[in-house]
Amino acid sequence: MNQSDDNGRIVAIRGAVVDVAFEAAPPDPGQAPPPLPAINDALEIRLDNRRILLEVQAQLDRRTVRTIALQATTGLRRGWPVSRVGGPVQVPVGEAVLGRLLNVTGEIGDHGAPLPADAPRRPIHAPTPPMRLGDGDTRLFRTGIKVIDLLAPLVQGGKAAMFGGAGVGKTVLVMELIHAMVSGYDGISVFSGVGERSREGHEMLLDMTNAGVLDRTVLVYGQMNEPPGARWRVPMTALTMAEHFRDAEGRNVLLLMDNVFRFVQAGSEVSGLLGRLPSRVGYQPTLATEVADLQERIASVGTASVTAIEAVYVPADDFTDPAVTAIAAHVDSMVVLSRAMAADGMYPAVDPIASSSVMLDPLVVGPDHVAVANEVRRAIEHYRELQDVISLLGMEELGAEDRRMVERARRLQRFLTQPFTVTEAFTGIPGRSVALDDTIAGCRAILDGETDDWDEGSLYIVGTLDEARAREEAARKERPAA
């Protein structure tokens, strides 16, 4: 095959969309024309010491393909040569990427030493692992966050998502989970920043360095100032690195993604640029397929697993949004953040009624855990049903039983708040990590009425019930003198 047969030339540029034509082979009876690059194959452009990667999205005719650029197309012009890479985008994986900050194509972004030339590489597109029968060993992740461990427990090898609108604390909650779990986690952590701000990337790198866990962490960013193709494919890059540690090295991997909604949003931008007709609410017609291609690769294989914790932005607090429902269909644990609870100062602002987990099962977590969780939900739900009556008529108009239930529900809501390590610089309150047994014991004590005569403030932003009891005793000693 002649070199000219293998290479193409740019015939059109529309922002991040680049059309590339490949010349037909010279008439030769013994030689077939070279096939066009396949969908998801990569093409390469060399421009002023820059390497621009394109990903094929459509074959327009027998000699032209339409691609999406993974880097900025500034400076490109028609007629510029384009070469085949010979398959999908490949990124470095393995020990070489630990402790590094990388972009969607696997290039370093931390101004450190270049990656070794012999570092193994894997394509970012891979098939979903085959479905297998479970080995019966369900291992839970203990986060130390009371409301999550009690009402929406996380499972190793599963997928958990934090759903919430703007400003209700998704990123803070994910950061706290990173802090709580990475330091005590014996596997590898891969963090994928999808459409994040540059400031957040620098803060994450600094936090990981200060915590001393950077050597077991990979940071992969496709930031909001990058083209939609980069934001669309960066979760695939992070997942590819996680899959290598799972498959080739048999190590457990914690995959953290912030924010998965921006992955969907980038896919919608790409779909519009490619000229596809929009579907519901303006989303891409391929929404369900794109989400499934990403989520279903997160799985356990053999004795190693990839566990995902994802932040998901909920546009306009609308939980019926097609993107939100598409992502929710794939997760095991749903942690829903409530704007009303955030407005009331209940942090973390996790809605105990809307949050759920398939792991909250007596055969998995035990009957005592499930019983306490259900009683907590029932009490808080009863309180919410009576809130309109309380607002209009006051607590005095409630019956004795209803009043007792409301007071205990208010105390439960406050007990399920706790200070975070990542917010210590702003609040001045050291973070707390609470064992599940302490959380269950504290909620049981409140449900049984042990705290009925306590001040509600004693239970607010604390760790264990013993800490709240000490705060209540200290407050009682000060009251007579006041």
Side-chain angles (χ1 to χ4, degrees):
M1 184 184 297
N2 295 333
Q3 184 67 24
S4 60
D5 300 336
D6 187 50
N7 285 354
R9 293 195 176 274
I10 297 174
V11 293
I13 307 167
R14 292 177 301 281
V17 175
V18 180
D19 291 352
V20 180
F22 290 85
E23 296 297 331
D28 184 346
Q31 185 181 33
L36 284 177
I39 303 298
N40 291 333
D41 272 7
L43 305 176
E44 182 184 61
I45 302 171
R46 293 286 181 176
L47 174 67
D48 299 333
N49 298 322
R50 278 200 299 147
R51 176 174 175 256
I52 300 174
L53 284 177
L54 313 174
E55 188 177 89
V56 177
Q57 294 300 313
Q59 296 176 340
L60 300 181
D61 54 40
R62 297 180 65 182
R63 59 184 292 267
T64 311
V65 295
R66 179 159 290 168
T67 69
I68 195 79
L70 301 184
Q71 289 108 340
T73 56
T74 308
L76 290 186
R77 63 178 183 268
R78 283 182 295 175
W80 202 268
V82 181
S83 57
R84 302 173 189 246
V85 170
V89 174
Q90 295 201 351
V91 294
V93 294
E95 296 290 330
V97 299
L98 289 176
R100 305 306 299 267
L101 189 150
L102 307 164
N103 66 11
V104 64
T105 59
E107 297 169 347
I108 59 171
D110 53 11
H111 305 294
L115 297 176
D118 59 350
R121 304 180 80 86
R122 283 176 71 135
I124 66 171
H125 295 284
T128 300
M131 196 156 68
R132 65 176 182 87
L133 293 175
D135 56 10
D137 181 19
T138 303
R139 287 166 288 181
L140 296 177
F141 260 132
R142 300 300 185 204
T143 67
I145 299 174
K146 290 181 286 189
V147 67
I148 292 179
D149 286 345
L150 179 68
L151 301 175
L154 312 186
V155 61
Q156 188 165 309
K159 296 179 279 286
M162 318 292 163
F163 293 90
V168 295
K170 295 183 302 300
T171 299
V172 171
L173 187 56
V174 170
M175 289 286 289
E176 182 69 13
L177 283 166
I178 292 170
H179 189 276
M181 298 169 74
V182 170
S183 55
Y185 183 66
D186 60 357
I188 299 296
S189 299
V190 179
F191 181 85
S192 176
V194 187
E196 290 297 285
R197 303 164 186 87
S198 301
R199 169 185 56 79
E200 291 171 334
H202 288 295
E203 287 177 358
M204 176 68 73
L205 185 62
L206 189 62
D207 289 343
M208 291 287 186
T209 304
N210 293 340
V213 297
L214 190 63
D215 60 336
R216 289 185 287 113
T217 306
V218 187
L219 304 176
V220 188
Y221 275 86
Q223 295 173 164
M224 61 171 53
N225 63 328
E226 295 188 50
R231 289 179 273 122
W232 189 38
R233 289 310 189 204
V234 74
M236 301 294 191
T237 299
L239 187 52
T240 300
M241 295 176 182
E243 286 172 335
H244 173 82
F245 289 113
R246 179 195 67 192
D247 299 340
E249 302 186 20
R251 301 170 79 174
N252 292 327
V253 184
L254 184 61
L255 175 65
L256 303 124
M257 288 192 278
D258 187 9
N259 185 307
V260 181
F261 176 80
R262 295 199 185 109
F263 158 73
V264 173
Q265 203 172 33
S268 180
E269 290 179 50
V270 169
S271 181
L273 289 168
L274 295 173
R276 295 177 187 147
L277 288 174
S279 183
R280 281 197 306 151
V281 201
Y283 285 109
Q284 61 270 43
T286 53
L287 169 64
T289 305
E290 290 174 11
V291 171
D293 286 343
L294 174 67
Q295 298 288 351
E296 294 308 306
R297 283 172 61 183
I298 301 168
S300 299
V301 174
T303 59
S305 63
V306 174
T307 306
I309 296 175
E310 310 167 7
V312 183
Y313 167 68
V314 180
D317 292 338
D318 179 13
F319 285 88
T320 65
D321 186 86
V324 176
T325 55
I327 296 166
H330 294 274
V331 300
D332 304 308
S333 302
M334 282 184 62
V335 179
V336 178
L337 287 99
S338 162
R339 187 170 301 282
M341 292 190 67
D344 289 340
M346 301 296 162
Y347 289 106
V350 175
D351 188 329
I353 309 302
S355 301
S356 62
S357 171
V358 297
M359 292 298 111
L360 196 62
D361 184 291
L363 298 175
V364 178
V365 298
D368 291 342
H369 182 165
V370 174
V372 170
N374 287 338
E375 285 187 51
V376 167
R377 279 207 178 102
R378 195 176 300 117
I380 294 174
E381 197 161 15
H382 189 60
Y383 168 45
R384 290 186 179 178
E385 290 171 355
L386 295 171
Q387 273 185 322
D388 288 343
V389 176
I390 295 168
S391 300
L392 290 170
L393 304 175
M395 288 275 286
E396 296 76 15
E397 297 301 316
L398 297 179
E401 184 62 32
D402 283 343
R403 193 181 307 130
R404 188 181 305 113
M405 183 69 80
V406 165
E407 288 172 350
R408 289 176 184 174
R410 288 174 59 88
R411 285 171 170 79
L412 283 168
Q413 280 190 335
R414 280 152 180 75
F415 179 65
L416 290 176
T417 63
Q418 72 188 80
F420 281 175
T421 302
V422 295
T423 60
E424 184 177 339
F426 308 103
T427 63
I429 306 172
R432 300 283 191 277
S433 178
V434 183
L436 177 62
D437 290 343
D438 291 336
T439 301
I440 294 174
C443 290
R444 170 56 65 195
I446 295 170
L447 289 164
D448 290 344
E450 290 185 27
T451 65
D452 284 357
D453 59 341
W454 289 18
D455 184 74
E456 289 180 0
S458 299
L459 294 159
Y460 179 62
I461 306 289
V462 295
T464 63
L465 191 69
D466 289 339
E467 185 182 337
R469 183 178 287 111
R471 186 186 288 182
E472 173 68 15
E473 290 172 358
R476 285 182 178 178
K477 289 177 183 177
E478 293 176 2
R479 280 171 199 155

